[in-house]
Amino acid sequence: VTSSTLRPVLSSQERSTASSPHNTWSVGPVELVQRGAASNARKSMPRQQTLPASQILSFGQSRRSLSNALSRRTPLSQTRQSASLVVGRATPLDASEMFTANLFAGSLFPWLGFLYLLSRKENGVNALTNFGFQFLLVFVFASIPASLIAMSQYDLSLSDVDWLHGSAEGLLTVTNLLIVAGLRLPTEQEQAQKGEERPTLLSALARPLGVFSLAIFLASAMTLFVENPTQAHDPYLWGVGNLGSSVSSSLDQLHLGGKPEPVNALSLPTWMVHWSSLIEWLAAMRLIWGLSKRTGIEEWKGLTWAMVPLHTSGLCACTYHWFFNAPEVKSLQTLQAATTLGGNILMMIAAYRISVANGWNIRTLLPFAGSHEQMKEHPKAGDDGGGESSGGGGGENLSKGKGEERTSRADTTASTTTSEAWGSVDGESSRSSVEAELVLAAKLTLVVGLLSYATKYGEPFLSSPFHPDLKVALAMVGIPTCINMAQWAAAEDDDGGDGLESPEASTSVPLL
């Protein structure tokens, strides 16, 4: 369809616009049909459904780069209308989708509270760990425009637009990798006990897992700015690792019932970032559990328990994609949002308990809290603290004494476990920790690659993905969650040496 073909239905103003040499578009059926319609869709369209030229031209413009769209200041409603010409009218979110969106939005606030409490200096969390948890905000705020683009340009959810979906999920993988990399390093107290200087964030990022995280981040950026995909189902990162068309055709002939995967199936790189996120989160849970033995603060175990619902949230997402995002299992999205909100609230509570156990006081948030504490520590001249004035502070002194005793006991435990877990620090130990990270990155890549290939090219051989059942989907989420909880419940009674193992030397990859 060209501007000359549309000239009879153009108004005078539209005709002058279309006659411009800069406004000649070639809009083929493949570009108009976003859900795999036949190549003769345009020919078979009834004549009375001929599209108005202004809408076709608007649609052609909407396919240009995002920068051009922003420069035109095109209203979102107009862009959404033009993007849904053939795929159907853009429908507003229903009640369940609005409820799910509100749950996701509400989960941001407890996460901000968790970040604030975890970063208190009393906790001694190193800079890379704090940066890793904070990097999740990049994933959150990048997912918002990605979802809007998916709806406005393609009238699809983010899960059905592979290149946007994979790019956003890659940022979550970067987040979890940074968290694991940070938790493998000593805490600030452990660094002080070993006489080490506090490493900078850049030096920590220069380690193998930090470089690995940067590579994944650049992969997401390359998809947006180098690959520059235009179709809804263009694969993330050029579909690196996907089997060739000839191999895929051979596999299609072997599929039970002759059912190849649908067009909205995840590409291999997108499956890899999903599997990687699940495994890395489990690794972070194990490292945080070990902090309770390394520091003597049992409240760190509570943070591991609080991370369980967020792992369940990831299972909901992967199970939803296993069934090719079928409407029959759409409730998994609501469950994912609910577990995200609940997990973030629990993590905020756990971070509060850790901060209090380390000596932080919530009264520091109050105005003039610092001057009040100074007045208690330095009473007025002539006030010896005796008589009636000493009676009112008895409870506070007792509480303070218990807190100091608990802190002293934690410091003693931390000193003992640190010497056993980390040993002497020298150049050889530093080199071994770097080598361990390289081995861990290689093992993680291998395990994730095998799981992703098995998922993408194995599920078409099964009948369950093509017959979505909510009960089966809930079982696929609930059973791994119960196993995950059972292992931490068993670890509560286990006095083994997991917490004493040097995190820097560990190369284990959890598979649950």
Side-chain angles (χ1 to χ4, degrees), residues 154-327:
Y154 307 111
D155 196 28
L156 297 172
S157 66
L158 179 60
S159 300
D160 292 319
V161 183
D162 192 80
W163 62 273
L164 279 172
H165 185 199
S167 299
E169 189 70 23
L171 297 177
L172 181 59
T173 300
V174 172
T175 298
N176 294 348
L177 271 176
L178 292 174
I179 294 172
V180 171
L183 290 172
R184 288 171 58 85
L185 299 177
T187 63
E188 292 185 353
Q189 288 88 343
E190 291 170 334
Q191 292 166 358
Q193 291 170 2
K194 293 185 294 182
E196 287 185 337
E197 294 183 1
R198 182 182 302 177
T200 63
L201 179 60
L202 290 178
S203 63
L205 288 173
R207 297 173 64 89
L209 288 181
V211 175
F212 196 24
S213 304
L214 178 61
I216 298 176
F217 178 80
L218 292 178
S220 297
M222 288 176 61
T223 300
L224 298 177
F225 302 108
V226 180
E227 181 181 357
N228 193 22
T230 57
Q231 302 297 323
H233 304 299
D234 285 346
Y236 164 61
L237 199 59
W238 294 280
V240 173
N242 284 344
L243 299 181
S245 57
S246 59
V247 179
S248 298
S249 300
S250 301
L251 290 176
D252 291 343
Q253 297 177 359
L254 298 176
H255 292 160
L256 297 178
K259 292 183 178 180
E261 62 181 11
V263 69
N264 69 334
L266 270 59
S267 64
L268 184 74
T270 305
W271 268 121
M272 290 186 69
V273 292
H274 278 78
W275 273 113
S276 180
S277 298
L278 286 177
I279 296 177
E280 291 155 6
W281 193 251
L282 286 173
M285 294 171 68
R286 183 176 184 272
L287 291 170
I288 289 176
W289 189 274
L291 277 177
S292 65
K293 296 182 179 180
R294 285 163 46 195
T295 63
I297 303 296
E298 290 293 316
E299 282 74 8
W300 282 107
K301 293 181 178 180
L303 183 57
T304 297
W305 280 105
M307 295 170 71
V308 171
L310 295 178
H311 184 258
T312 303
S313 175
L315 291 173
C316 290
C318 291
T319 305
Y320 182 62
H321 303 325
W322 170 266
F323 290 103
F324 305 113
N325 309 332

Side-chain angles (χ1 to χ4, degrees), residues 372-508:
H372 178 68
E373 294 295 332
Q374 292 177 0
M375 290 178 61
K376 293 198 302 180
E377 295 178 1
H378 305 285
K380 296 180 180 179
D383 186 1
D384 59 357
E388 295 179 0
S389 62
S390 64
E396 293 183 3
N397 293 335
L398 179 60
S399 176
K400 183 178 180 180
K402 290 182 178 179
E404 291 178 350
E405 178 184 357
R406 181 177 185 178
T407 303
S408 176
R409 184 171 63 253
D411 291 341
T412 302
T413 304
S415 177
T416 303
T417 56
T418 298
S419 61
E420 294 178 3
W422 298 90
S424 61
V425 179
D426 51 19
E428 183 179 356
S429 176
S430 178
R431 287 193 300 271
S432 64
S433 65
V434 172
E435 294 174 358
E437 282 199 19
L438 289 172
V439 173
L440 177 61
K443 291 174 63 176
L444 179 64
T445 304
L446 177 62
V447 171
V448 167
L450 292 175
L451 290 173
S452 301
Y453 271 106
T455 303
K456 178 171 178 60
Y457 296 105
E459 64 174 337
F461 288 93
L462 306 175
S463 60
S464 61
F466 299 95
H467 300 85
D469 188 339
L470 184 58
K471 295 180 180 178
V472 176
L474 292 176
M476 293 175 64
V477 174
I479 293 176
T481 298
C482 292
I483 296 175
N484 192 17
M485 295 174 63
Q487 69 172 343
W488 301 119
E492 289 278 9
D493 302 326
D494 183 15
D495 293 329
D498 283 349
L500 302 180
E501 178 186 2
S502 172
E504 286 186 315
S506 175
T507 60
S508 59

Side-chain angles (χ1 to χ4, degrees), residues 32-206:
L32 285 175
V33 181
Q34 300 297 324
R35 292 181 178 176
S39 61
N40 60 349
R42 177 62 183 167
K43 297 180 180 179
S44 61
M45 182 179 295
R47 190 167 186 80
Q48 61 271 21
Q49 296 182 7
T50 301
L51 303 176
S54 59
Q55 290 185 346
I56 292 182
L57 297 181
S58 176
F59 179 78
Q61 289 175 336
S62 69
R63 297 301 307 277
R64 294 194 173 192
S65 63
L66 181 61
S67 60
N68 292 337
L70 293 176
S71 65
R72 290 196 315 273
R73 302 292 195 272
T74 303
L76 179 61
S77 59
Q78 180 181 350
T79 306
R80 187 183 181 99
Q81 181 182 7
S82 62
S84 60
L85 296 179
V86 179
V87 299
R89 180 183 299 174
T91 56
L93 299 179
D94 57 26
S96 64
E97 291 172 334
M98 285 296 299
F99 179 67
T100 300
N102 290 332
L103 288 178
F104 275 123
S107 65
L108 175 62
F109 299 101
W111 184 260
L112 294 176
F114 161 75
L115 293 179
Y116 174 81
L117 292 168
L118 185 70
S119 61
R120 296 305 87 201
K121 62 180 181 179
E122 291 83 357
N123 295 330
V125 179
N126 58 54
L128 184 56
T129 303
N130 278 322
F131 178 74
F133 282 110
Q134 294 163 5
F135 194 84
L136 184 71
L137 297 177
V138 178
F139 161 72
V140 172
F141 290 113
S143 298
I144 295 174
S147 299
L148 292 177
I149 293 173
M151 289 192 301
S152 63
Q153 296 287 5
Y154 307 111
D155 196 28
L156 297 172
S157 66
L158 179 60
S159 300
D160 292 319
V161 183
D162 192 80
W163 62 273
L164 279 172
H165 185 199
S167 299
E169 189 70 23
L171 297 177
L172 181 59
T173 300
V174 172
T175 298
N176 294 348
L177 271 176
L178 292 174
I179 294 172
V180 171
L183 290 172
R184 288 171 58 85
L185 299 177
T187 63
E188 292 185 353
Q189 288 88 343
E190 291 170 334
Q191 292 166 358
Q193 291 170 2
K194 293 185 294 182
E196 287 185 337
E197 294 183 1
R198 182 182 302 177
T200 63
L201 179 60
L202 290 178
S203 63
L205 288 173

